[in-house]
Amino acid sequence: MDDISIDKIECILKVYETQNITKAAEELYLSQQALSKTVKNVESELGLSLFLRSARGVLPTAMGTRFYQTFAPLLQQYHARLKEFRSISRSRLRLGLAVAALRRIGSSVLNDFSQANPGIELDIVQQPDEENIFSVISGNCELSLCPPPTGLDDGNLEFIEVWREPIYIVTGQDHPLAGRKSVTIRELDGYPIIRSRDEDFTFRVTVDIFRQRELVPNFVYAIGEFELLRDIAVRKGYIFICPELHSRYVPRGGIAIPITDPDFIMKEGFVFRKDIMLSGQAKKLIQFVQNYNPHK
C-alpha cells in the first residue's frame, strides 16, 4: 500500500469540513471528479469507508470522524512548522560579492546593514566579477554586488547601479598620448594594450566599447595582477586600462589619463534575475546601500 500524501489528507479534511464535494473542490481548486476520485482512492488504500454519499452531500462515518480528529491537528502542526522553516529561509540572504566592489562602496556597509537589520542573516560568497554573474543566473545567489553583466547578460538580468568612477589609461611618460589631458577609445586604436583577466569587468567593457565603434583592441598581455600590469605598461610603453582606483598608484615614469567616452565608466551595483521576485531582505539591502552614508 502506498503512503497517503499530505495533499490527499487535506482533501479528506476539507470534504469533512464542508460535507459537500462541490464546495470542497472549489476551495481546493480541484474538479469535482478529481476530488471524488481522491476520496475513493484514500478509502480504498485504508480499507475503510470515510463518508456516506447522498443526494444532499456527504456525511462522515464514525471512521471519517476519527480520521479528521486524528489528522486535523497533525496537519495544522505540519503547516505551522513549515511556516517556521520558510520564515527562517526568507530571513537569510545569499549575496555574491566582488571584493573590489565592497572596497569602493565602503568596507563597513555590510556590517552596518547587519547591525541595522539583526533579523536578516547575510550569507556572503566572495568571488570574481564573472562568477558573481553566473551565481545569479544559476540561482545560487539571489543578489550579487559587482560590476554590471556586460557581455554576460542572457536578457534576464537586472542591474541597479549604486556607485561609479571614471576609467583611466596608465602608460609611460614617453608614450605618444602622454601629453593629453584626456583620451577617447578611438584615440587608443592601434596602440598595444596590456589586458587583465577575461572575467574582469574592465576587460569585458573595453572589448564591448571597441566593438561598438567597429574597432579591434590590440591586446598584448593577459596577467592577473593589476600591479604587474601597471608596471609593465609603464616600462614597455604599453597602455593599461583600469578604473580610477587603480590609476592612483602609478609607477615612477608613468602617467594616468582619463578616458572621456561617456559610456566607458566603471560601475558597481546589484545584479539579480528579472524572472524571480526579490525577497524583502534583498530589497532592504539594495535600499540600504543606495542610501548608505558611513558618516551618519
Side-chain angles (χ1 to χ4, degrees), residues 32 67 95 99 104 145 213 227 242-243 271:
Q32 294 180 43
F67 186 98
L95 173 69
V99 178
R104 293 184 177 103
L145 181 56
R213 288 153 177 72
E227 292 78 7
C242 63
V271 176

Side-chain angles (χ1 to χ4, degrees), residues 41-94:
N41 287 342
V42 172
E43 289 179 322
S44 176
E45 290 177 31
L46 292 174
L48 299 168
S49 178
L50 300 177
F51 299 99
L52 297 175
R53 287 127 180 113
S54 70
R56 289 182 294 181
V58 292
L59 294 174
T61 63
M63 293 308 298
T65 298
R66 184 175 177 181
F67 186 98
Y68 183 86
Q69 291 173 343
T70 300
F71 286 99
L74 293 177
L75 192 65
Q76 188 176 13
Q77 290 179 27
Y78 166 81
H79 285 300
R81 300 291 83 77
L82 191 61
K83 185 177 180 180
E84 284 181 14
F85 277 97
R86 283 175 174 165
S87 176
I88 291 170
S89 175
R90 283 194 292 268
S91 66
R92 191 178 186 211
L93 175 60
R94 190 168 177 83

